[in-house]
Amino acid sequence: MARGIQILGSTGTVLLIVRFLSPVEQGYYYTLLSLVSLQVVFELGFSFVILQMAAHECAHLTIHADGRIEGDVVAHARLASILQKTFRWYLVAAVILCASLLRVGVYFFSRHAHAATPVAWHGPWVVAVLATAVLFLLNPFFSFLEGCGLVWQVGRMRLGQAVLGAGMSWGVLLTHHGLYSPAMVIIGFAVAGLAFLYTWRHLCLVLLRYPVGEQAVSWRSEVWPFQWKIAVSWACTYFTIQIFTPVLFAYRGPAEAGQFGLSLSVTTYLSALVIAWMSTKAASFGQMIARGELQQLKGLFFRTLRQSLVVLVGISAACEAGVLALHYLFPRLAARMASPQVFALLLLTSLSAFIVQSMAIYLRSFKREPFLIQSVVVAALTVSLSLATVKGWGLAGITTSYLLCTGVIGLIVGLTIFRSWHTAAEASFRRMDVPISAPAAR
């Protein structure tokens, strides 16, 4: 439901952008969004690491609604240690993120500003960065609580975020302050997130104050070997998705950047909607691994992948048909997007990336990051090919580079990695004499 509301909200936002923003302002809008997404570099993939660490410990604990925790004493202390270290890390990282993003945005927009059509981007950029820093500090708590088994509760909070974020975004667009729309979405997310954390304040505060003693998680030996690989992979994801709009803005102008940004956002929202089928299972994957339930794990993963792929293919086909109809019925509106041919290539790439992302969620539940090399290779190829084609072929060159590197090479390498790592994981379970089809422990 949260993803569905986001899709509806984004559809309304797209229509309002076309109605209230000029093509140049549209380019600024999506470039601003891409630059704000640089937060993934500071986040270092920590949210998924936190989720899996918490899930593995909570497999041996029972968490009550009033914040009480029962179960293994060592697991309790390790769980508290995870949250304490997480809070300290994100507090420092949020300050660094805020200071760095402000400088990056000011430099980029000042250097590549559209002189013929001046746009007031300073205020929207500052507010967006400050709001991003606040939400950045809250996000690890959401991941931690989801790893503790509060999946539907976090999902309900995401629904509230989607509704509030869309409402605030539409409000500023309707009042002709459209470039503030990204900041308002983030502020809406932060407000809904703060309200959610307030309801779970007892659990969080108890864990933050819990004396962990010698049972503290060793970040250097237990977490960092996993985290740094996730960090590199997540940073590479930025360069394989979000880098295109700023590149087009710099080399081809804001109008063409706006066309690509709008089209890419639609395909990204489609995969974001369907990935909810898989991402909500991440905590369950981790707990099944901790209990040795490999057969149940495999069954749940492949069933979920089949279901979500059918849904994604269906809505992608419908979306492509809608874009085709748009070009015949509303050519003025269609001119703000990429052509139907380019949009089809983006949809194909999105399908490929969805499969790789699903496999990554599954394998990372083992607290490993096997997609490091794949992420680095795909990112390097994508950036290189995009810079080589953007001047001559513009939007078509960028899209073809994206399809070739992420959609074809990325999928082939990803499938190869998944097959070899999955076989190795099952063999590892057998060597440890773990009953890979053991019933769930209660």
Side-chain angles (χ1 to χ4, degrees):
M1 289 178 63
R3 299 290 190 182
I5 292 295
Q6 282 186 317
I7 293 293
L8 293 175
S10 300
T11 303
T13 300
V14 166
L15 295 175
L16 291 172
I17 286 172
V18 173
R19 172 66 180 83
F20 291 104
L21 296 185
S22 69
V24 170
E25 289 174 323
Q26 179 180 319
Y28 273 87
Y29 178 97
Y30 284 106
T31 304
L32 189 151
L33 276 180
S34 295
L35 292 177
V36 165
S37 298
L38 268 171
Q39 64 175 297
V40 300
V41 177
F42 298 87
E43 203 268 343
L44 297 178
F46 210 173
S47 59
F48 192 86
V49 175
I50 296 162
L51 189 152
Q52 286 304 325
M53 293 293 293
H56 279 251
E57 298 305 328
C58 283
H60 312 290
L61 298 169
T62 301
I63 296 178
H64 298 278
D66 60 1
R68 288 182 298 112
I69 299 176
E70 296 177 353
D72 185 76
V73 177
V74 175
H76 188 171
R78 286 172 59 83
L79 185 69
S81 173
I82 292 168
L83 185 60
Q84 292 168 15
K85 292 177 182 291
T86 296
F87 177 68
R88 289 194 293 268
W89 162 258
Y90 271 85
L91 189 59
V92 174
V95 175
I96 299 174
L97 177 147
C98 187
S100 303
L101 275 188
L102 283 173
R103 291 174 177 268
V104 169
V106 169
Y107 172 80
F108 181 87
F109 285 119
S110 298
R111 182 178 176 85
H112 300 291
H114 199 255
T117 312
V119 174
W121 54 266
H122 296 83
W125 175 248
V126 172
V127 177
V129 170
L130 293 177
T132 298
V134 173
L135 185 61
F136 178 85
L137 187 58
L138 300 179
N139 278 332
F141 288 93
F142 307 150
S143 297
F144 177 83
L145 292 173
E146 189 171 355
C148 290
L150 306 180
V151 178
W152 74 264
Q153 292 92 335
V154 173
R156 184 175 61 182
M157 182 271 299
R158 302 283 186 199
L159 176 59
Q161 286 183 322
V163 173
L164 189 56
M168 295 182 68
S169 171
W170 291 1
V172 293
L173 281 164
L174 289 169
T175 55
H176 302 279
H177 295 88
L179 288 186
Y180 282 95
S181 177
M184 291 301 106
V185 173
I186 300 168
I187 291 173
F189 279 25
V191 170
L194 283 169
F196 169 74
L197 288 180
Y198 182 78
T199 64
W200 289 94
R201 64 190 183 281
H202 298 299
L203 174 62
C204 294
L205 290 174
V206 166
L207 288 172
L208 286 172
R209 297 167 180 168
Y210 190 85
V212 298
E214 297 179 355
Q215 305 301 333
V217 170
S218 172
W219 220 253
R220 177 175 295 180
S221 61
E222 297 183 60
V223 181
W224 184 244
F226 178 35
Q227 185 194 343
W228 78 264
K229 295 176 183 178
I230 289 277
V232 174
S233 295
W234 281 44
C236 289
T237 300
Y238 176 86
F239 290 103
T240 55
I241 299 177
Q242 299 294 342
I243 197 66
F244 301 124
T245 306
V247 167
L248 280 168
F249 188 99
Y251 287 99
R252 304 283 293 194
E256 199 162 335
Q259 288 180 319
F260 183 85
L262 193 152
S263 303
L264 182 65
S265 71
V266 173
T267 60
T268 302
Y269 280 127
L270 293 182
S271 59
L273 168 67
V274 180
I275 200 64
W277 263 264
M278 190 66 67
S279 61
T280 51
K281 309 290 191 304
S284 298
F285 290 164
Q287 292 178 2
M288 288 177 176
I289 292 167
R291 294 192 291 256
E293 300 165 1
L294 193 59
Q295 291 300 333
Q296 291 92 324
L297 175 70
K298 290 164 58 180
L300 178 60
F301 170 73
F302 286 109
R303 182 170 66 252
T304 304
L305 182 60
R306 286 193 300 270
Q307 292 170 348
S308 54
L309 266 178
V310 169
V311 173
L312 184 56
V313 169
I315 61 176
S316 295
C319 199
E320 176 64 19
V323 171
L324 280 169
L326 197 66
H327 273 259
Y328 288 104
L329 299 176
F330 303 99
R332 247 182 108 184
L333 180 59
R336 303 291 286 269
M337 297 183 65
S339 68
Q341 295 83 358
V342 169
F343 191 79
L345 296 182
L346 289 174
L347 286 172
L348 287 174
T349 309
S350 179
L351 283 168
S352 254
F354 173 81
I355 296 172
V356 174
Q357 188 177 2
S358 297
M359 295 188 298
I361 290 173
Y362 175 80
L363 292 182
R364 287 166 181 166
S365 300
F366 289 88
K367 295 197 289 188
R368 298 289 185 272
E369 173 49 301
F371 283 92
L372 174 63
I373 301 300
Q374 187 257 17
S375 300
V376 173
V377 170
V378 169
L381 288 174
T382 300
V383 173
S384 301
L385 198 56
S386 297
L387 291 174
T389 58
V390 66
K391 290 184 179 180
W393 290 282
L395 198 150
I398 285 280
T399 306
T400 304
S401 303
Y402 184 35
L403 173 65
L404 178 62
C405 298
T406 299
V408 178
I409 298 175
L411 180 60
I412 292 173
V413 176
L415 288 170
T416 304
I417 292 171
F418 179 82
R419 183 174 181 179
S420 62
W421 273 74
H422 185 270
T423 303
E426 188 167 343
S428 176
F429 268 73
R430 289 200 174 94
R431 283 196 301 271
M432 293 187 296
D433 294 325
V434 176
I436 61 174
S437 59
R442 303 299 298 176

